[in-house]
Amino acid sequence: MKPAVLITLTRGADMLAHALLDRADLEIINYHDAVLPFYESRGVHATRFLEFFTEEDRVRVAAEAEQRAARVAAEMRSAPMQAGWQQYAGDPDTWERFAGEVATLAGRDFLPEIVMIDALLNCASRTDLRLLIVQQDISRDTRTLIAAAQRLGIPTLHTLHGYPYGALNAINLSGPSCADYIAVFSEPAAALFESLGVPRDRIAVTGNFEWDPFCRPPRAGQRAEACANLKLDPARPVITYALTYTHRFSRVSAANPGYVHRITNAVLHAFADLARRHPDWQFVLRPHPNDADAPSDLENRARDVGLPSACIDIYTSSICSVHASDLIVCCQSNLGIEAILGGKPVVNCVIDEFAQAVFDEGIGRLFLDSDAVIHARTPDAIAPAVEAALLDADTREAFLAKRPATARRFSHLNDGKATDRLCSLILHLAERGRDSVPAPVRWPEYEPALARAAADCPGPVTVAGVAAPYVAARLQYLEPERHVAVSSQEALAALPAASCPVLVLADPVPATEAVEHVLATAGRALAPDGTLVALFIHGGAVEAQDACAAGAWAPARNAADATVPGGQHSYQGLRMSLSRSDLLLVEARPQQRSGGEGPHLSETDTVPGDIGALGDIDAWVVRARRRPPTPGAWGEARQERLRQARAANARGEAFFAEGRHNEAAAEFAAAIALWEQEALFHNNVAATLHAIGRVDEAWKHCITALHFDPNLQSARDNLRELAHALGRTDEAARILNIFGADAPDGPDSP
């Protein structure tokens, strides 16, 4: 199976895919269907992303989308949300509009977001997906895909190849939705991202691969080809308007509603006026890549102002747009930079009446007064500025005089080799795969719950893990007089035995084979009557597969709601993990995605059959204690339970040999109920369920058997047979690889 790369870029995607395939044998997966003709024109084969999602799947998730939208709409009307908005935006008058927009967008967006997540889950299970490449990470689609990929442990690369400006903050640069790595076009851009909190080792300076062609002279016929793509006449003037975009829910957008539409309306009216005065001129409207609503909206608005023949350019690369155009009109757009690099004049619409505050915020405006652009500061100035740029010799001479300094200011690394550097970075990340995903440093949504659970336990507290300083600070805030010590995860093993009255694991307990080592190490450090406080990420969609190792887990469909790696645990699964490490569950506190806590469960409680009755659970914060000493190696009660389990298993094996499979299944189930951590019992029930046609259940028990004993040959053999029956040989190969076993034979094995 070839390594696969998912490309979500629109403009330039075909150029990048072609360059990658020249350097490596990859499977290219393309996100945007409308880009496929450009792939085909270059002879590039790409798999459609939505091939991994069927219409039947869409019907299945539609109900979930409706439920989520309803929950969001209700939450937006809550008092805490309103108070939070007032603190954030400082303007209570905008709350009703903001809340209404969020509710409307939730109803519209949740279904496609869930489709994206499910398609990504299917894609990851059916291909060797090594990397997700996004173009910026502030749009809905890319933020959702990044979060889902991070949940799956698939590295993500954000190719920010524009020049950052304006209101740069946590909404579009950092936080949990930020990609694992960022490729920027210059050292100053890297320094800017670093100053905003992005670790320097996650930033690569590659240059802008789309700018490489500007380092070479245009070849003959290039303008004609670019115009042909847009059905334009190369012999007539072409004026292109490149729209801008700002996150719709940022503070500046809330304070200046509709400024993008108002600027666009001003440009459209100017274009309609110019079209009447210059009937041979051609007008192109180029939406921003992140604005999914712009194409149809632009057509309607252009028609309304008397510009029915405007061309809507959605997918051509920036180089093609510059070659096709005689002039670029923009509003602080990076396409203006590319036009300058390509020697084309630029009219920059900075309508102070609409958006002065917007572009003066943060690091300021993109273009300075000294740059090679004509600034139109009022709506009435747009049309005269366009005419001057195209028809006035003095204006064009002034542009050419300023152009070299402007090109140097923006194009720090424009040496024509950006494609080579970016491809090398992509192939390096794809080769390293999951190893290239940086570990998170904290889990702020769970810190308060861990601190509260520790506060309920008497005695000095030791907090261990990467996030230990943050949890310790929370606990110290709750109880200033409590003695709290901080330990790294590595130092946990060096703690003296039986030395910790209260031990808090600040990082999520992994759902891999390492879980027993982590818990056993923590248990050794606990005092005899001490308490362990730990966090288990909940996997509600995989209750029956809780014992499966991390690489074989199927994350919950709502993967975009959390970005914590490490796998998932069901309630029964975490109890099993504690038990295998000689720890007893004292209390489990379900952490809900709404930020609240569900009802606390004691060691004698069981989870209802409908896990949803406890709320929308994201994680479990548990308190556990060491198992008290018992007579003998096992203790009399445990030894009797094991004896009974083995007897039930023996009866099941006898029934199975006689072909009495239903009775055998009942006996094996009884054995598991008595002693659930025995691999042989799960393997026997898997073989029995397979024999009576319940192959999906058999698959889950077989994986559980391998988790308890990866060397059980009969379990490996059973998994191979089940894989062929279910058509899941690739998935079985990955599972067996995780457990150190050979892959199953089959036509689709790697």
mmCIF file of all heavy atoms in Angstrom, residues 143-172:
data_model
loop_
_atom_site.group_PDB
_atom_site.id
_atom_site.type_symbol
_atom_site.label_atom_id
_atom_site.label_comp_id
_atom_site.label_asym_id
_atom_site.label_seq_id
_atom_site.Cartn_x
_atom_site.Cartn_y
_atom_site.Cartn_z
ATOM 1 N N ARG A 143 -10.382 23.488 9.898
ATOM 2 C CA ARG A 143 -10.306 23.332 11.351
ATOM 3 C C ARG A 143 -10.887 21.978 11.774
ATOM 4 O O ARG A 143 -10.355 21.302 12.656
ATOM 5 C CB ARG A 143 -11.045 24.482 12.050
ATOM 6 C CG ARG A 143 -10.316 25.806 11.955
ATOM 7 C CD ARG A 143 -11.129 26.934 12.565
ATOM 8 N NE ARG A 143 -11.148 26.866 14.006
ATOM 9 C CZ ARG A 143 -10.253 27.439 14.796
ATOM 10 N NH1 ARG A 143 -9.233 28.100 14.282
ATOM 11 N NH2 ARG A 143 -10.342 27.367 16.103
ATOM 12 N N THR A 144 -11.986 21.587 11.155
ATOM 13 C CA THR A 144 -12.592 20.296 11.483
ATOM 14 C C THR A 144 -11.666 19.145 11.108
ATOM 15 O O THR A 144 -11.461 18.208 11.885
ATOM 16 C CB THR A 144 -13.935 20.151 10.749
ATOM 17 O OG1 THR A 144 -14.821 21.179 11.193
ATOM 18 C CG2 THR A 144 -14.565 18.799 11.021
ATOM 19 N N LEU A 145 -11.097 19.197 9.913
ATOM 20 C CA LEU A 145 -10.219 18.124 9.471
ATOM 21 C C LEU A 145 -8.952 18.050 10.316
ATOM 22 O O LEU A 145 -8.465 16.960 10.632
ATOM 23 C CB LEU A 145 -9.848 18.323 7.994
ATOM 24 C CG LEU A 145 -10.952 17.991 6.988
ATOM 25 C CD1 LEU A 145 -10.555 18.451 5.600
ATOM 26 C CD2 LEU A 145 -11.236 16.495 6.976
ATOM 27 N N ILE A 146 -8.400 19.205 10.683
ATOM 28 C CA ILE A 146 -7.195 19.203 11.514
ATOM 29 C C ILE A 146 -7.489 18.546 12.852
ATOM 30 O O ILE A 146 -6.725 17.694 13.338
ATOM 31 C CB ILE A 146 -6.669 20.639 11.707
ATOM 32 C CG1 ILE A 146 -6.025 21.148 10.423
ATOM 33 C CG2 ILE A 146 -5.649 20.685 12.848
ATOM 34 C CD1 ILE A 146 -5.687 22.619 10.464
ATOM 35 N N ALA A 147 -8.597 18.938 13.480
ATOM 36 C CA ALA A 147 -8.934 18.367 14.784
ATOM 37 C C ALA A 147 -9.141 16.859 14.687
ATOM 38 O O ALA A 147 -8.687 16.098 15.544
ATOM 39 C CB ALA A 147 -10.185 19.047 15.341
ATOM 40 N N ALA A 148 -9.825 16.414 13.649
ATOM 41 C CA ALA A 148 -10.064 14.979 13.481
ATOM 42 C C ALA A 148 -8.759 14.238 13.212
ATOM 43 O O ALA A 148 -8.530 13.143 13.741
ATOM 44 C CB ALA A 148 -11.055 14.750 12.345
ATOM 45 N N ALA A 149 -7.895 14.808 12.375
ATOM 46 C CA ALA A 149 -6.613 14.163 12.086
ATOM 47 C C ALA A 149 -5.760 14.069 13.347
ATOM 48 O O ALA A 149 -5.099 13.051 13.593
ATOM 49 C CB ALA A 149 -5.869 14.935 10.996
ATOM 50 N N GLN A 150 -5.776 15.111 14.162
ATOM 51 C CA GLN A 150 -5.000 15.077 15.394
ATOM 52 C C GLN A 150 -5.528 13.998 16.333
ATOM 53 O O GLN A 150 -4.757 13.341 17.041
ATOM 54 C CB GLN A 150 -5.026 16.450 16.060
ATOM 55 C CG GLN A 150 -4.195 17.483 15.313
ATOM 56 C CD GLN A 150 -4.343 18.875 15.863
ATOM 57 O OE1 GLN A 150 -5.354 19.224 16.466
ATOM 58 N NE2 GLN A 150 -3.337 19.708 15.656
ATOM 59 N N ARG A 151 -6.849 13.802 16.342
ATOM 60 C CA ARG A 151 -7.422 12.736 17.169
ATOM 61 C C ARG A 151 -6.953 11.362 16.689
ATOM 62 O O ARG A 151 -6.781 10.440 17.475
ATOM 63 C CB ARG A 151 -8.946 12.846 17.127
ATOM 64 C CG ARG A 151 -9.671 11.896 18.068
ATOM 65 C CD ARG A 151 -9.528 12.317 19.533
ATOM 66 N NE ARG A 151 -10.428 11.573 20.381
ATOM 67 C CZ ARG A 151 -11.662 11.958 20.695
ATOM 68 N NH1 ARG A 151 -12.128 13.102 20.242
ATOM 69 N NH2 ARG A 151 -12.421 11.225 21.477
ATOM 70 N N LEU A 152 -6.715 11.238 15.384
ATOM 71 C CA LEU A 152 -6.259 9.974 14.816
ATOM 72 C C LEU A 152 -4.743 9.827 14.859
ATOM 73 O O LEU A 152 -4.211 8.775 14.508
ATOM 74 C CB LEU A 152 -6.717 9.871 13.357
ATOM 75 C CG LEU A 152 -8.210 9.638 13.123
ATOM 76 C CD1 LEU A 152 -8.563 9.910 11.675
ATOM 77 C CD2 LEU A 152 -8.596 8.222 13.507
ATOM 78 N N GLY A 153 -4.038 10.878 15.263
ATOM 79 C CA GLY A 153 -2.583 10.827 15.278
ATOM 80 C C GLY A 153 -1.958 11.026 13.911
ATOM 81 O O GLY A 153 -0.797 10.687 13.699
ATOM 82 N N ILE A 154 -2.707 11.597 12.955
ATOM 83 C CA ILE A 154 -2.175 11.868 11.618
ATOM 84 C C ILE A 154 -1.612 13.285 11.606
ATOM 85 O O ILE A 154 -2.325 14.236 11.932
ATOM 86 C CB ILE A 154 -3.275 11.725 10.555
ATOM 87 C CG1 ILE A 154 -3.787 10.284 10.525
ATOM 88 C CG2 ILE A 154 -2.766 12.139 9.173
ATOM 89 C CD1 ILE A 154 -5.050 10.105 9.714
ATOM 90 N N PRO A 155 -0.349 13.472 11.242
ATOM 91 C CA PRO A 155 0.223 14.825 11.245
ATOM 92 C C PRO A 155 -0.446 15.732 10.222
ATOM 93 O O PRO A 155 -0.957 15.269 9.196
ATOM 94 C CB PRO A 155 1.695 14.592 10.918
ATOM 95 C CG PRO A 155 1.761 13.251 10.275
ATOM 96 C CD PRO A 155 0.635 12.445 10.851
ATOM 97 N N THR A 156 -0.437 17.022 10.531
ATOM 98 C CA THR A 156 -1.075 18.016 9.667
ATOM 99 C C THR A 156 -0.090 19.134 9.369
ATOM 100 O O THR A 156 0.697 19.531 10.222
ATOM 101 C CB THR A 156 -2.326 18.608 10.339
ATOM 102 O OG1 THR A 156 -1.974 19.127 11.634
ATOM 103 C CG2 THR A 156 -3.402 17.552 10.520
ATOM 104 N N LEU A 157 -0.146 19.628 8.154
ATOM 105 C CA LEU A 157 0.741 20.698 7.700
ATOM 106 C C LEU A 157 -0.098 21.843 7.170
ATOM 107 O O LEU A 157 -0.918 21.674 6.278
ATOM 108 C CB LEU A 157 1.694 20.191 6.611
ATOM 109 C CG LEU A 157 2.583 21.248 5.948
ATOM 110 C CD1 LEU A 157 3.561 21.847 6.969
ATOM 111 C CD2 LEU A 157 3.344 20.644 4.770
ATOM 112 N N HIS A 158 0.126 23.022 7.730
ATOM 113 C CA HIS A 158 -0.577 24.247 7.359
ATOM 114 C C HIS A 158 0.349 25.040 6.453
ATOM 115 O O HIS A 158 1.397 25.518 6.876
ATOM 116 C CB HIS A 158 -0.893 24.989 8.663
ATOM 117 C CG HIS A 158 -1.412 26.380 8.496
ATOM 118 N ND1 HIS A 158 -1.695 27.170 9.581
ATOM 119 C CD2 HIS A 158 -1.703 27.134 7.423
ATOM 120 C CE1 HIS A 158 -2.134 28.343 9.179
ATOM 121 N NE2 HIS A 158 -2.139 28.337 7.872
ATOM 122 N N THR A 159 -0.010 25.142 5.173
ATOM 123 C CA THR A 159 0.847 25.840 4.207
ATOM 124 C C THR A 159 0.411 27.292 4.107
ATOM 125 O O THR A 159 -0.289 27.677 3.181
ATOM 126 C CB THR A 159 0.781 25.162 2.833
ATOM 127 O OG1 THR A 159 -0.581 25.118 2.394
ATOM 128 C CG2 THR A 159 1.323 23.753 2.905
ATOM 129 N N LEU A 160 0.812 28.086 5.079
ATOM 130 C CA LEU A 160 0.468 29.512 5.052
ATOM 131 C C LEU A 160 1.461 30.219 4.150
ATOM 132 O O LEU A 160 2.557 30.574 4.569
ATOM 133 C CB LEU A 160 0.520 30.126 6.449
ATOM 134 C CG LEU A 160 0.067 31.587 6.440
ATOM 135 C CD1 LEU A 160 -1.450 31.667 6.446
ATOM 136 C CD2 LEU A 160 0.630 32.343 7.611
ATOM 137 N N HIS A 161 1.081 30.415 2.902
ATOM 138 C CA HIS A 161 2.013 31.003 1.951
ATOM 139 C C HIS A 161 1.666 32.446 1.622
ATOM 140 O O HIS A 161 2.136 32.995 0.634
ATOM 141 C CB HIS A 161 2.062 30.148 0.685
ATOM 142 C CG HIS A 161 2.769 28.858 0.905
ATOM 143 N ND1 HIS A 161 2.319 27.660 0.437
ATOM 144 C CD2 HIS A 161 3.880 28.583 1.616
ATOM 145 C CE1 HIS A 161 3.132 26.704 0.811
ATOM 146 N NE2 HIS A 161 4.083 27.232 1.531
ATOM 147 N N GLY A 162 0.843 33.041 2.437
ATOM 148 C CA GLY A 162 0.585 34.457 2.254
ATOM 149 C C GLY A 162 1.359 35.281 3.261
ATOM 150 O O GLY A 162 2.095 34.773 4.091
ATOM 151 N N TYR A 163 1.172 36.579 3.179
ATOM 152 C CA TYR A 163 1.841 37.501 4.099
ATOM 153 C C TYR A 163 0.843 37.863 5.185
ATOM 154 O O TYR A 163 -0.183 38.478 4.914
ATOM 155 C CB TYR A 163 2.282 38.759 3.347
ATOM 156 C CG TYR A 163 3.191 39.647 4.158
ATOM 157 C CD1 TYR A 163 4.569 39.488 4.098
ATOM 158 C CD2 TYR A 163 2.682 40.632 4.987
ATOM 159 C CE1 TYR A 163 5.413 40.290 4.838
ATOM 160 C CE2 TYR A 163 3.515 41.434 5.741
ATOM 161 C CZ TYR A 163 4.882 41.266 5.653
ATOM 162 O OH TYR A 163 5.715 42.057 6.398
ATOM 163 N N PRO A 164 1.084 37.483 6.456
ATOM 164 C CA PRO A 164 0.105 37.743 7.514
ATOM 165 C C PRO A 164 0.010 39.227 7.842
ATOM 166 O O PRO A 164 0.994 39.956 7.807
ATOM 167 C CB PRO A 164 0.648 36.947 8.707
ATOM 168 C CG PRO A 164 2.097 36.790 8.435
ATOM 169 C CD PRO A 164 2.264 36.772 6.945
ATOM 170 N N TYR A 165 -1.192 39.650 8.179
ATOM 171 C CA TYR A 165 -1.415 41.044 8.543
ATOM 172 C C TYR A 165 -2.719 41.126 9.314
ATOM 173 O O TYR A 165 -3.466 40.164 9.437
ATOM 174 C CB TYR A 165 -1.490 41.941 7.301
ATOM 175 C CG TYR A 165 -2.660 41.639 6.395
ATOM 176 C CD1 TYR A 165 -3.858 42.323 6.516
ATOM 177 C CD2 TYR A 165 -2.572 40.626 5.446
ATOM 178 C CE1 TYR A 165 -4.928 42.031 5.700
ATOM 179 C CE2 TYR A 165 -3.641 40.328 4.630
ATOM 180 C CZ TYR A 165 -4.820 41.035 4.757
ATOM 181 O OH TYR A 165 -5.889 40.740 3.956
ATOM 182 N N GLY A 166 -3.021 42.299 9.835
ATOM 183 C CA GLY A 166 -4.315 42.539 10.466
ATOM 184 C C GLY A 166 -4.429 41.909 11.831
ATOM 185 O O GLY A 166 -3.486 41.866 12.605
ATOM 186 N N ALA A 167 -5.618 41.413 12.151
ATOM 187 C CA ALA A 167 -5.933 40.912 13.490
ATOM 188 C C ALA A 167 -5.500 39.465 13.620
ATOM 189 O O ALA A 167 -6.251 38.552 13.319
ATOM 190 C CB ALA A 167 -7.422 41.051 13.758
ATOM 191 N N LEU A 168 -4.271 39.252 14.033
ATOM 192 C CA LEU A 168 -3.760 37.901 14.231
ATOM 193 C C LEU A 168 -3.844 37.568 15.703
ATOM 194 O O LEU A 168 -3.280 38.251 16.537
ATOM 195 C CB LEU A 168 -2.309 37.811 13.763
ATOM 196 C CG LEU A 168 -2.110 38.081 12.264
ATOM 197 C CD1 LEU A 168 -0.634 38.078 11.938
ATOM 198 C CD2 LEU A 168 -2.822 37.046 11.440
ATOM 199 N N ASN A 169 -4.556 36.505 16.035
ATOM 200 C CA ASN A 169 -4.712 36.138 17.440
ATOM 201 C C ASN A 169 -4.951 34.644 17.541
ATOM 202 O O ASN A 169 -4.767 33.909 16.575
ATOM 203 C CB ASN A 169 -5.869 36.928 18.078
ATOM 204 C CG ASN A 169 -7.133 36.817 17.240
ATOM 205 O OD1 ASN A 169 -7.455 35.756 16.748
ATOM 206 N ND2 ASN A 169 -7.830 37.928 17.080
ATOM 207 N N ALA A 170 -5.368 34.203 18.722
ATOM 208 C CA ALA A 170 -5.516 32.763 18.950
ATOM 209 C C ALA A 170 -6.572 32.138 18.058
ATOM 210 O O ALA A 170 -6.569 30.930 17.852
ATOM 211 C CB ALA A 170 -5.856 32.502 20.417
ATOM 212 N N ILE A 171 -7.499 32.935 17.518
ATOM 213 C CA ILE A 171 -8.559 32.354 16.696
ATOM 214 C C ILE A 171 -7.978 31.715 15.447
ATOM 215 O O ILE A 171 -8.401 30.658 15.020
ATOM 216 C CB ILE A 171 -9.592 33.431 16.320
ATOM 217 C CG1 ILE A 171 -10.466 33.732 17.526
ATOM 218 C CG2 ILE A 171 -10.443 32.998 15.145
ATOM 219 C CD1 ILE A 171 -11.542 34.738 17.261
ATOM 220 N N ASN A 172 -6.979 32.350 14.820
ATOM 221 C CA ASN A 172 -6.512 31.809 13.551
ATOM 222 C C ASN A 172 -5.049 31.410 13.544
ATOM 223 O O ASN A 172 -4.523 31.063 12.511
ATOM 224 C CB ASN A 172 -6.772 32.805 12.405
ATOM 225 C CG ASN A 172 -6.160 34.163 12.679
ATOM 226 O OD1 ASN A 172 -5.369 34.330 13.601
ATOM 227 N ND2 ASN A 172 -6.526 35.145 11.875
#
